[in-house]
Amino acid sequence: MKTRINTALAAAMAAAALACAAPAFGQSANGAPYQVSDGTKVDTQTLSGWRTWRAMACERCHGAAQEGMVGPSLVGSLKVLSKDQFKEVVLKGRIEKGMPNFDGSKMVVENIDNLYAYLKGRSDGAIQPGRLQEIGK
């Protein structure tokens, strides 16, 4: 009986230690899908999302600061869209509203989670508009 209690206690302590360990790669301690420091330094994945944003020239419609132009403000949109909804809009488009589909772009498909992280960070106000750098560089 004592051995079972000790084993259960050890398992519970190990689980607690894992829960308190460093956050998942690319995720902050508060559960955000990005890590940011000083507003302009981000984790590798979020930086990849920003680079995807730049490469696809999304600012032509959504503005350089993601606050909207011809297309809607993504700073506002990501306050209400879930990650799955965001992915659906980007990958399938909203042709009737002028949003093309990007499911044929290898860069977008491979970086959709990173693009979401970048734009979510902008929407949350954690990431500032403009040029970004990788944390630690």
Side-chain angles (χ1 to χ4, degrees):
M1 175 89 169
K2 190 174 182 180
T3 303
R4 280 190 227 163
I5 292 172
N6 287 341
T7 303
L9 181 59
M13 288 174 62
L18 284 174
C20 294
F25 191 60
Q27 217 173 38
S28 68
N30 66 2
Y34 53 84
Q35 293 177 15
V36 62
S37 173
D38 300 326
T40 60
K41 296 177 183 171
V42 297
D43 61 279
T44 305
Q45 292 77 19
T46 302
L47 186 62
S48 181
W50 174 74
R51 288 180 176 149
T52 301
W53 165 269
R54 298 290 307 263
M56 295 294 110
C58 302
E59 72 278 356
R60 290 179 297 175
C61 294
H62 297 286
Q66 300 78 40
E67 294 176 350
M69 286 178 42
V70 175
S73 165
L74 299 179
V75 170
S77 293
L78 267 82
K79 292 184 186 315
V80 296
L81 288 177
S82 70
K83 184 176 182 179
D84 287 339
Q85 290 170 323
F86 168 81
K87 290 166 97 171
E88 183 173 339
V89 168
V90 173
L91 296 175
K92 294 184 180 178
R94 287 186 176 165
I95 305 304
E96 72 284 357
K97 294 185 177 187
M99 173 69 181
N101 63 308
F102 286 92
D103 58 356
S105 167
K106 182 179 179 187
M107 184 177 205
V108 172
V109 171
E110 290 178 354
N111 285 288
I112 192 72
D113 291 326
N114 302 333
L115 181 59
Y116 174 80
Y118 165 63
L119 293 170
K120 186 64 175 158
R122 285 286 301 120
S123 178
D124 291 348
I127 299 174
Q128 299 303 310
R131 184 165 293 284
L132 299 180
Q133 298 176 14
E134 189 172 347
I135 292 173
K137 293 197 177 185

